[in-house]
Amino acid sequence: MDILGLGYLGIESPNVEEWSEYGPQVLGFGLAPSERGTVLLRMDERHHRIAVRQGERDQLSYLGWELRNRPAFLDALKALDAAGIAYTVGDGALEEERSVHGVAWFTGPDQV
C-alpha cells in the first residue's frame, strides 16, 4: 500500500465553536466554509485538514490517509482484502463531506 501521508482527521467535541478560535489563534490554521456545528480547519491548498464536529466528548473520530491516485486507492482495497480486513467503500455524500475523490473505511481494533 503506497500511502503518501496523513490527509485529514476528524474530531468530535462538545465545544465545537471554540475550535473556530483555537484553530487559527493557536494552531495557525485557516477556517474553511462549513455548516453550523462543524469547524473545518485548513493549512494548505486542500479544502481542510481537520474537521471538528459536535460530539459528547473530545475524541478522534477518523483518520484519512492520502494515496496518489485512483489506481493506488484500488490497490489499497486489494491489500485490505488480502489481509482479511473488512471495509466499506463510502458513497458520494461521504466523499463530498471529506472533500475527496474516493473513501473507504474500516473499524479500528479499539472499536471491535
Side-chain angles (χ1 to χ4, degrees), residues 2-108:
D2 189 20
I3 296 173
L4 298 178
L6 181 62
Y8 57 86
L9 58 94
I11 297 171
E12 292 179 19
S13 176
N15 307 305
V16 172
E17 296 308 319
E18 292 178 14
W19 281 84
S20 62
E21 292 183 19
Y22 180 79
Q25 293 176 12
V26 176
L27 300 177
F29 280 62
L31 295 173
S34 62
E35 298 177 6
R36 182 165 172 72
T38 301
V39 174
L40 300 177
L41 301 171
R42 63 183 302 159
M43 59 179 271
D44 54 20
E45 74 282 351
R46 301 284 190 216
H47 184 268
H48 68 276
R49 293 291 187 165
I50 301 174
V52 184
R53 292 188 170 78
Q54 188 65 41
E56 292 187 22
R57 61 188 172 114
D58 291 312
Q59 66 181 359
L60 178 66
S61 296
Y62 56 86
L63 299 171
W65 300 103
E66 186 172 358
L67 302 171
R68 184 166 311 285
N69 52 28
R70 185 72 177 174
F73 175 72
L74 296 175
D75 286 345
L77 296 182
K78 289 177 189 172
L80 292 173
D81 285 333
I85 299 172
Y87 60 86
T88 302
V89 175
D91 60 13
L94 185 57
E95 291 176 355
E96 185 175 336
E97 176 186 313
R98 297 198 184 169
S99 298
V100 297
H101 298 289
V103 63
W105 59 271
F106 55 89
T107 302

